[in-house]
Amino acid sequence: MGIKEAQCDTCHHTHSSAAVEATQALMEVNNTNTNDHHQQQPDHPTEASIVINRVRQDLRIIYDVGQSTTRNYWSVLCSLMALFKTPVSFPDYIQCFKIAWRSVLQRHRNNHKNIQFMRLCLANDALQCLARQDIKVLGYWESAVQVVLSLVRNSDPNIFHEVFFVNSVLKKWILSVFCDKEMCSNPYIRLDMLMMIQTWCQNDDLDNEEVSEHVIAGLMELSVYMDGEYESTPGGTGLTLELSWCRVIYTLLTKGHLTNVYKAATQQIQSLSVGPEARWLARMVEFVAARTTLIKSNLQSSCMTPINALKALECCLVLLGHLLISCGKTFTCRGISRVGVVSFIKVCVIVLEVIPALWYHHANSCNLVLISISEMIETLTSSPKLQALVQLLGRDHSQEMDKIRWSASNFGFQMPVITPDEDHVTTQCPERFVDGVTQLMIESPVLLQTSQVTVDETTLVYLLLQKSPRCPFTRTTLDQHSFCRLPELQQEIHAWRTNVSTTSHHHNNP
């Protein structure tokens, strides 16, 4: 017998019923190691199981016969809502999630606002059920929660904040999943919990110091998985990862909960003992740059709509600004400043590469993104405490900054001019004063023991902040015993610079 196929009446895509059954079969896999005592099937059909069977039949009609109208789908979602709002047996919970999986396959085919509203209510009620049962997100439940998170991710942000309700039980469960790998071994599901945590920003739930400490601990522990590739939002509307991160980080910063993090990071960098706080801040700005690259790729491949891409890019810029400026003392420290500046340049260049193709149809949104860049550069250049970042931009990235200024001027934005720092010219200094990696003059010399190459502290910190810190010459692992300061060479450099400065002064003032 041939495979039945149904054509959706809203997007005219053809879907195989065999594919739907395969998806359902995937969801049949139960976790044999967790909650087995809950999964005993009842001897007689329950009232909920009767409703479940009816809903399943309705979905089969929608898929196999092609009657995917708004009215039919509304009816199915209403039935699911009724199920989740009543106490049902554990096996019935499983059946509800199987149906939710089938319903989420409709998300690209029916974008009626009322249907979006109902989908989000369905996701909310499903999570409430999991929270009441205090479910560990393991085995079967990983797939079940991914279904719910898909419903959330593909929701309109405005509808999401209107509908989503987090009570104390659900909040406690979300926080435990986010922070505890025993509650959820999948780090990407845990990161996706930020979509729910970001709703707490509006309700001042992150005012609670204990809650914020748990959120920060989860963010730091999960930073190793922030590679920029694990989630991309397809076309249409949706809650982007960038939006969640931006809201959570901004709230933590403005409430003062990250103060201890960037104080600890500053101390670690100054003592050349890079720890988790410094690594996390470095990963955060690198993560923003990686996400920007991914947004550009998704836009070019039509995986994101232009308006969604612009919103995500604006979030990336705002988040980068929060980090570099609010944690300014940390990001002006030697080494981590280089990480921040490199990410800043990457983000600005990519944004200005994307905007020309979108300007004609989305001029207002493009303007907002350009304003974000302009305000960031204005703040950097006008703040005395951020001058170390500005000097680094002028010294190492003058060409990129000129390109940014030229591109922005085409749209009527005048960016400040950042001139190179002539104090770092190395053409006349002794060779032993030159960094073996950057070929720039050293300010604070450090010897890499395995290669016997001298570098500046800035270079060493930059190397230590990498995921796998290694000597660039021998590829051996860098640790606290693989380098040492050179105080005598430091004195020589200081004396030479003083002499050059004095000589230059006499020449200029005969």
Side-chain angles (χ1 to χ4, degrees):
M1 176 179 278
I3 297 175
K4 292 182 181 179
E5 291 184 335
Q7 190 177 56
C8 173
D9 64 348
T10 55
C11 74
H12 307 295
H13 290 168
T14 300
H15 302 272
S16 165
S17 62
V20 175
E21 292 301 326
T23 302
Q24 186 181 16
L26 176 65
M27 298 298 291
E28 294 285 350
V29 179
N30 288 332
N31 176 24
T32 56
N33 298 320
T34 308
N35 296 325
D36 283 344
H37 64 284
H38 286 295
Q39 300 188 26
Q40 300 297 322
Q41 298 294 331
D43 294 333
H44 302 288
T46 62
E47 182 178 347
S49 65
I50 294 172
V51 176
I52 288 170
N53 287 331
R54 188 183 72 244
V55 170
R56 185 183 291 112
Q57 291 172 3
D58 291 342
L59 276 174
R60 187 179 299 278
I61 292 172
I62 288 174
Y63 278 91
D64 294 351
V65 181
Q67 297 179 0
S68 183
T69 64
T70 300
R71 180 180 178 183
N72 288 342
Y73 194 50
W74 179 278
S75 174
V76 171
L77 288 181
C78 285
S79 298
L80 286 172
M81 293 286 295
L83 282 172
F84 278 120
K85 287 182 177 179
T86 58
V88 296
S89 67
F90 196 84
D92 287 337
Y93 279 127
I94 293 176
Q95 296 301 319
C96 288
F97 277 104
K98 289 175 184 174
I99 295 173
W101 176 269
R102 291 173 66 110
S103 70
V104 81
L105 296 179
Q106 283 271 342
R107 67 180 182 271
H108 298 308
R109 293 188 260 165
N110 197 330
N111 288 317
H112 191 280
K113 185 174 182 179
N114 289 338
I115 296 299
Q116 292 183 24
F117 180 91
M118 289 294 288
R119 280 200 201 100
L120 200 51
C121 290
L122 172 64
N124 192 4
D125 289 344
L127 286 175
Q128 299 281 359
C129 288
L130 291 175
R132 288 196 298 269
Q133 297 277 340
D134 198 23
I135 298 294
K136 288 187 176 182
V137 186
L138 305 170
Y140 164 79
W141 290 107
E142 281 193 25
S143 298
V145 171
Q146 283 173 338
V147 170
V148 179
L149 293 175
S150 295
L151 287 166
V152 171
R153 189 182 298 116
N154 287 277
S155 300
D156 185 300
N158 296 324
I159 299 177
F160 176 83
H161 286 285
E162 178 184 347
V163 172
F164 208 83
F165 172 71
V166 182
N167 60 28
S168 58
V169 174
L170 180 53
K171 187 193 304 180
K172 181 180 178 181
W173 181 80
I174 289 171
L175 194 60
S176 65
V177 171
F178 182 69
C179 298
D180 187 358
K181 63 177 65 176
E182 291 188 2
M183 277 292 289
C184 178
S185 59
N186 187 326
Y188 302 117
I189 288 179
R190 293 171 62 195
L191 279 170
D192 275 346
M193 287 293 169
L194 278 172
M195 289 187 293
M196 271 66 73
I197 292 175
Q198 59 107 5
T199 64
W200 305 355
C201 302
Q202 288 184 316
N203 301 325
D204 295 328
D205 290 318
L206 290 180
D207 283 350
N208 186 298
E209 188 172 347
E210 184 178 356
V211 171
S212 294
E213 286 179 358
H214 279 85
V215 172
I216 293 169
L219 288 170
M220 292 178 61
E221 192 259 319
L222 290 166
S223 64
V224 68
Y225 303 101
M226 290 160 38
D227 55 8
E229 294 289 339
Y230 74 86
E231 183 267 353
S232 60
T233 304
T237 57
L239 283 166
T240 64
L241 186 67
E242 295 77 22
L243 180 62
S244 300
W245 279 92
C246 188
R247 285 179 174 166
V248 172
I249 295 298
Y250 175 73
T251 303
L252 292 172
L253 280 168
T254 54
K255 300 291 184 182
H257 296 309
L258 284 178
T259 302
N260 291 334
V261 173
Y262 54 77
K263 280 185 178 178
T266 303
Q267 293 172 356
Q268 292 163 10
I269 293 164
Q270 291 173 343
S271 64
L272 300 184
S273 179
V274 172
E277 289 82 4
R279 292 185 192 281
W280 180 68
L281 288 176
R283 292 293 79 75
M284 282 299 301
V285 294
E286 290 176 334
F287 170 75
V288 174
R291 295 299 299 180
T292 308
T293 303
L294 183 63
I295 292 165
K296 176 185 174 183
S297 175
N298 286 338
L299 179 63
Q300 292 174 338
S301 61
S302 300
C303 292
M304 284 187 87
T305 62
I307 194 66
N308 257 16
L310 286 169
K311 288 178 181 178
L313 289 172
E314 187 181 6
C315 282
C316 285
L317 283 164
V318 172
L319 177 55
L320 186 60
H322 291 332
L323 291 166
L324 293 181
I325 294 167
S326 298
C327 303
K329 187 175 180 181
T330 300
F331 279 102
T332 54
C333 287
R334 304 159 63 77
I336 196 170
S337 58
R338 185 171 158 191
V339 178
V341 163
V342 168
S343 294
F344 171 77
I345 291 293
K346 284 182 180 178
V347 171
C348 290
V349 169
I350 289 174
V351 169
L352 288 165
E353 286 176 352
V354 167
I355 280 181
L358 304 177
W359 185 270
Y360 183 77
H361 295 290
H362 304 283
N364 289 336
S365 296
C366 290
N367 257 308
L368 292 174
V369 175
L370 287 171
I371 288 171
S372 295
I373 294 180
S374 180
E375 289 178 346
M376 269 189 72
I377 296 178
E378 185 66 35
T379 303
L380 287 172
T381 54
S382 62
S383 175
K385 71 176 184 179
L386 299 174
Q387 287 307 299
L389 288 173
V390 177
Q391 290 174 1
L392 199 57
L393 284 170
R395 188 191 76 182
D396 296 346
H397 302 280
S398 58
Q399 291 184 347
E400 290 97 329
M401 287 304 299
D402 287 342
K403 181 180 178 181
I404 290 169
R405 288 183 64 252
W406 179 82
S407 299
S409 67
N410 290 334
F411 301 99
F413 285 84
Q414 297 301 318
M415 307 292 181
V417 177
I418 297 178
T419 56
D421 184 0
E422 298 297 332
D423 192 41
H424 287 83
V425 175
T426 60
T427 54
Q428 297 179 349
C429 76
E431 186 176 351
R432 68 181 185 279
F433 296 171
V434 177
D435 187 309
V437 175
T438 65
Q439 296 303 302
L440 296 171
M441 186 174 177
I442 294 171
E443 294 184 13
S444 299
V446 179
L447 178 68
L448 302 179
Q449 302 276 25
T450 57
S451 60
Q452 292 297 298
V453 174
T454 304
V455 298
D456 190 68
E457 277 187 16
T458 300
T459 302
L460 175 64
V461 172
Y462 183 79
L463 294 171
L464 292 173
L465 287 170
Q466 306 307 304
K467 288 185 178 180
S468 300
R470 296 184 182 279
C471 172
F473 305 100
T474 63
R475 306 307 301 163
T476 54
T477 302
L478 286 175
D479 55 35
Q480 296 299 314
H481 306 290
S482 59
F483 56 85
C484 63
R485 297 180 187 271
L486 299 173
E488 293 182 358
L489 182 59
Q490 172 97 43
Q491 292 176 1
E492 287 186 51
I493 293 171
H494 178 72
W496 184 88
R497 291 172 70 94
T498 302
N499 181 57
V500 169
S501 177
T502 303
T503 303
S504 175
H505 178 74
H506 286 320
H507 285 167
N508 294 331
N509 301 278

